[in-house]
């Protein structure tokens, strides 16, 4: 049974930081590209960052502030978020993709507010 379980969300002040984690099980984690998406109220879900075996990619809006990483031994992907802004407020989702296989987590809420 495939599971993606996000954690680490919460309420943080502007300029603060958070580290999201996504623990995966039920598939061969190391062979999948892992991504973080987010969806703000009233907006479409958008890609934040992706990490494959050799490369990382970021949305322009988070480049230089967010870092995606993975630990294949722990079947976990992370998103380190620095210098958070109110516009980063959203539900953050973990995604695993390989060819036609696409898996999603349930999401974790990140709220950036003073």
């Amino acid at each position: 049974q495939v599971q993606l379980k996000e954690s680490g969300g919460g309420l943080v002040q502007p300029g603060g930081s958070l580290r999201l984690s996504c623990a995966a099980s039920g598939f061969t984690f190391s062979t999948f590209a892992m991504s973080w998406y987010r969806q703000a109220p009233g907006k479409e879900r958008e890609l934040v960052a992706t990490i494959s075996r050799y490369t990382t990619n970021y949305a322009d809006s988070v480049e230089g502030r967010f870092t995606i990483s993975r630990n294949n031994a722990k079947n976990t992907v992370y998103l380190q978020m620095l210098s958070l802004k109110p516009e980063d407020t959203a539900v953050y989702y973990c995604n695993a993709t390989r060819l036609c296989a696409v898996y999603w987590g349930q999401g974790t809420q990140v709220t950036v507010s003073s």
Side-chain angles (χ1 to χ4, degrees):
Q1 180 180 359
V2 172
Q3 284 194 329
L4 293 174
K5 179 63 175 175
E6 301 97 337
S7 61
L11 173 63
V12 63
Q13 292 187 342
S17 62
L18 282 174
R19 188 195 195 205
L20 305 183
S21 300
C22 172
S25 61
F27 61 98
T28 309
F29 179 81
S30 62
T31 67
F32 277 66
M34 299 300 298
S35 300
W36 287 95
Y37 285 74
R38 67 186 180 186
Q39 187 166 19
K43 295 188 176 181
E44 293 186 354
R45 192 172 295 190
E46 64 172 351
L47 178 62
V48 175
T50 298
I51 183 167
S52 62
R53 190 171 184 180
Y54 300 112
T55 62
T56 58
N57 289 284
Y58 299 91
D60 290 344
S61 59
V62 306
E63 182 83 53
R65 299 188 298 122
F66 291 9
T67 302
I68 189 170
S69 61
R70 66 191 297 164
N71 185 328
N72 289 339
K74 295 185 177 181
N75 287 358
T76 303
V77 63
Y78 306 95
L79 186 68
Q80 178 69 55
M81 305 186 292
L82 304 176
S83 302
L84 283 161
K85 304 175 181 180
E87 51 264 43
D88 294 318
T89 295
V91 177
Y92 284 71
Y93 297 91
C94 180
N95 169 281
T97 300
R98 181 178 182 270
L99 299 178
C100 296
V102 181
Y103 308 130
W104 290 94
Q106 293 298 307
T108 185
Q109 176 70 46
V110 172
T111 302
V112 185
S113 175
S114 55

